[in-house]
């Protein structure tokens, strides 16, 4: 209670730092809604420290607001003048933000660039850059990592069974339950089969905009067809996987109609509320091809590990902000490893810095939060960052031009139209065309 009152008092001090100010004297920061209170507190700390170490008080009122990360880029672009000085986006939104002459500013601070380079894995450093007028700049500052994991009901599924979809399906059959609920049928939440890789060497023939080139997509490899054949049998099984019902995955899990769900850290609170002490968390399971699933070089007995997009959420800055001289120092503080660790402990935001798995003590604790963090970190070995930030078209083509619906049609064998290998192959040709052109084949 004392801490809350102190924060309130300090917040009031921050507001008074710009006595008589108008809206032009407001420095706006957007973060995910779940993080608003935490980053409000951190900015109170920042302003207090600034006031203690400078001859003048911080000249702006700082307002931290919770904005949906998935729509923040579009919200900003709808009215950049009213948009935040600093805001959070998933890295795959970079393309739309730098289209044309760019709506966001590149990082120029040597200290911030050095921190970004020292703290982040190469996979993140590759997706926070963009090219404007022939010059490549660093635009994003990673501070949260995320990947999909498995939440499961431990009263029906053992830890050993949770390692494979076959084990989970066996548990579902024994209890006459549904093996898996999806949180969504979009190309992100239903990506576990498409992004699956060989469990022995992580190999896959799948290509998604390799090297940032629009034409570099490939969806008809033998392994891709075989994985979708296996997925179809999993979805068509009476106790297998199902797309969300009208009641939603939370109700399906809570009512024990379904015994597992694929989700992200943002689903943790709902999963915990649904399952309570019966909540288990682990990496996405493996599956093994049968004779019925085999296709070409993808032979029976091959084991695949379900995949995930393994992404970063990053801070970016408004271009030509009137408060620009202060933004990079704020970002140096907010993206530091210390604040990333505090963010995890407060709201379970997974740190983005590269050595968090071994250096951050909270990951070693016997808690569900630590299980969630460890599972996400391990999934980074079985996933890829969404490769859509190079161009605004990539994100649209992959998610919004009908490809996810075509994949679901294969898995559900819609209208019995995908019963043969050739049917599935032809559908993947259509999907590949959508990824590269935004259009189905004529």
């Amino acid at each position: 209670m004392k801490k809350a009152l102190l924060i309130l008092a300090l917040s009031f001090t921050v507001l008074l730092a710009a006595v008589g100010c108008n809206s032009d004297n407001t420095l706006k920061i957007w973060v995910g809604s779940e993080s608003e209170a935490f980053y409000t507190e951190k900015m109170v700390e920042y302003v207090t420290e600034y006031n203690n170490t400078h001859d003048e008080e911080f000249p702006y009122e700082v307002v931290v607001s919770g904005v949906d990360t998935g729509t923040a880029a579009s919200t900003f672009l709808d009215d950049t003048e009213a948009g935040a000085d600093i805001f959070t986006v998933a890295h795959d939104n970079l393309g739309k933000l730098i289209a044309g002459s760019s709506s966001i500013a590149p990082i120029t601070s040597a200290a911030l660039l050095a921190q970004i380079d020292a703290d982040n894995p190469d996979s993140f450093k590759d997706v926070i850059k963009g090219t404007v007028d022939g010059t490549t700049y660093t635009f994003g500052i990673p501070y949260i990592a995320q990947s999909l994991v498995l939440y499961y009901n431990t009263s029906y599924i053992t830890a050993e069974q949770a390692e494979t979809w076959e084990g989970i399906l066996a548990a579902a059959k024994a209890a006459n339950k549904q093996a898996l609920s999806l949180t969504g049928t979009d190309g992100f939440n239903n990506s576990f089969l498409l992004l699956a890789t060989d469990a022995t060497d992580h190999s896959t023939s799948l290509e998604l905009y390799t090297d940032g080139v629009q034409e570099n997509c490939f969806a008809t490899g033998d392994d891709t067809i075989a994985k979708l054949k296996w997925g179809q049998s999993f979805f068509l099984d009476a106790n297998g996987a199902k797309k969300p019902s009208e009641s939603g995955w939370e109700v399906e899990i809570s009512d024990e109609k379904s015994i597992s769900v694929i989700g992200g850290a943002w689903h943790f609170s709902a999963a915990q509320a649904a399952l309570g002490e019966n909540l288990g968390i682990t990496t996405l399971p493996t599956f093994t091809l049968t004779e019925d699933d085999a296709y070409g070089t993808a032979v029976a007995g091959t084991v695949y590990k379900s995949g995930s997009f393994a992404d970063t959420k990053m801070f970016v800055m408004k271009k030509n902000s009137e408060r620009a001289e202060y933004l990079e120092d704020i970002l140096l503080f907010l993206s530091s490893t210390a604040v990333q660790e505090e963010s995890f402990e407060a709201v379970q935001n997974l740190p983005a810095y590269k050595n968090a798995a071994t250096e951050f003590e909270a990951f070693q604790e016997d808690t569900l939060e630590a299980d969630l963090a460890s599972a996400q970190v391990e999934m980074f070995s079985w996933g890829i960052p969404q490769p859509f930030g190079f161009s605004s078209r990539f994100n649209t083509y992959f998610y919004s031009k009908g490809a996810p619906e075509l994949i679901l049609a294969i898995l559900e064998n819609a209208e019995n139209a995908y019963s043969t290998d050739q049917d599935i192959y032809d559908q993947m040709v259509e999907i590949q065309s959508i990824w590269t052109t935004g259009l189905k084949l004529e």
Side-chain angles (χ1 to χ4, degrees):
M1 183 65 178
K2 290 181 179 179
K3 183 177 181 181
L5 291 173
L6 175 61
I7 291 171
L8 180 62
L10 290 173
S11 299
F12 187 60
T13 301
V14 173
L15 294 176
L16 291 179
V19 175
C21 71
N22 55 32
S23 60
D24 291 336
N25 244 14
T26 300
L27 192 156
K28 301 177 185 176
I29 301 175
W30 292 350
V31 297
S33 299
E34 72 284 349
S35 304
E36 180 180 353
F38 171 76
Y39 285 102
T40 296
E41 179 181 344
K42 299 317 294 181
M43 285 309 300
V44 168
E45 291 181 17
Y46 177 88
V47 171
T48 301
E49 179 64 19
Y50 182 97
N51 293 342
N52 289 337
T53 57
H54 290 74
D55 293 333
E56 60 180 11
E57 292 189 337
F58 193 75
Y60 297 104
E61 172 192 348
V62 179
V63 176
V64 178
S65 301
V67 177
D68 177 69
T69 303
T71 59
S74 296
T75 301
F76 176 81
L77 290 173
D78 285 343
D79 188 353
T80 56
E81 186 64 28
D85 300 283
I86 293 170
F87 59 102
T88 302
V89 295
H91 73 262
D92 61 296
N93 283 288
L94 183 59
K96 68 174 70 174
L97 290 167
I98 65 173
S101 60
S102 181
S103 299
I104 57 174
I107 310 302
T108 59
S109 162
L112 184 53
L113 286 169
Q115 180 171 287
I116 292 169
D117 185 64
D119 290 352
N120 289 283
D122 290 340
S123 61
F124 284 177
K125 288 187 278 189
D126 290 341
V127 297
I128 60 176
K129 297 177 181 179
T131 301
V132 177
D133 295 332
T135 301
T136 299
Y137 303 96
T138 297
F139 287 97
I141 305 97
Y143 77 109
I144 296 174
Q146 60 183 26
S147 62
L148 295 173
V149 298
L150 185 79
Y151 298 113
Y152 67 97
N153 190 327
T154 59
S155 64
Y156 295 102
I157 304 172
T158 67
E160 182 178 2
Q161 286 176 316
E163 295 176 0
T164 70
W165 288 119
E166 289 84 359
I168 293 171
L169 183 58
K173 287 184 177 298
N176 195 25
K177 304 288 185 181
Q178 180 180 311
L180 172 68
S181 290
L182 297 176
T183 59
T185 57
D186 56 273
F188 184 93
N189 290 295
N190 188 26
S191 60
F192 71 107
L193 293 169
L194 185 68
L195 299 180
T197 56
D198 190 298
T200 58
D201 61 10
H202 296 250
S203 63
T204 178
S205 69
L206 181 74
E207 289 193 52
L208 289 175
Y209 309 106
T210 304
D211 299 325
V213 177
Q214 184 170 323
E215 293 75 19
N216 286 354
C217 294
F218 183 66
T220 56
D222 290 357
D223 57 335
T224 299
I225 304 303
K227 286 181 283 188
L228 291 174
K229 288 179 65 180
W230 183 93
Q232 186 182 89
S233 66
F234 188 38
F235 273 74
L236 294 181
D237 192 290
N239 296 104
K242 299 290 183 291
K243 67 181 181 182
S245 65
E246 291 184 1
S247 60
W249 69 269
E250 297 98 326
V251 173
E252 292 174 357
I253 295 295
S254 180
D255 290 349
E256 298 187 347
K257 176 181 178 181
S258 179
I259 58 176
S260 76
V261 62
I262 294 173
W266 54 98
H267 297 120
F268 172 72
S269 294
Q272 188 174 40
L275 292 180
E277 63 182 12
N278 293 325
L279 175 61
I281 306 172
T282 189
T283 60
L284 297 185
T286 64
F287 58 94
T288 303
L289 296 185
T290 68
E291 291 288 350
D292 290 337
D293 308 320
Y295 183 84
T297 58
V299 298
T302 305
V303 180
Y304 293 100
K305 177 77 168 178
S306 299
S308 168
F309 285 119
D311 296 330
T312 181
K313 291 183 180 180
M314 61 187 189
F315 285 122
V316 294
M317 302 181 296
K318 178 195 290 187
K319 185 178 180 180
N320 299 325
S321 167
E322 294 179 2
R323 294 149 288 279
E325 65 180 292
Y326 298 94
L327 302 185
E328 290 180 304
D329 190 62
I330 290 172
L331 290 169
L332 187 71
F333 168 70
L334 292 181
S335 64
S336 66
T337 58
V339 174
Q340 287 186 42
E341 291 178 353
E342 291 179 47
S343 178
F344 172 78
E345 293 177 329
V347 288
Q348 286 73 62
N349 286 326
L350 184 70
Y353 73 90
K354 62 185 177 184
N355 297 322
T358 56
E359 294 180 0
F360 186 22
E361 292 183 1
F363 280 17
Q364 318 308 321
E365 297 174 358
D366 184 19
T367 64
L368 281 173
E369 289 80 5
D371 290 344
L372 173 60
S374 297
Q376 288 186 91
V377 169
E378 188 174 342
M379 281 307 302
F380 271 74
S381 299
W382 300 100
I384 59 170
Q386 292 180 80
F388 312 128
F390 298 99
S391 168
S392 57
R393 291 188 299 272
F394 298 175
N395 186 294
T396 300
Y397 288 0
F398 185 82
Y399 287 116
S400 304
K401 293 295 183 178
E405 291 80 4
L406 298 186
I407 290 176
L408 184 64
I410 292 174
L411 297 176
E412 294 186 324
N413 194 18
E415 299 180 355
N416 204 35
Y418 307 100
S419 301
T420 70
D421 293 354
Q422 190 64 48
D423 292 334
I424 295 173
Y425 181 91
D426 291 343
Q427 183 85 320
M428 295 310 295
V429 171
E430 291 279 8
I431 289 168
Q432 186 173 300
S433 176
I434 291 173
W435 290 348
T436 56
T437 69
L439 301 170
K440 291 184 180 181
L441 294 172
E442 295 182 0

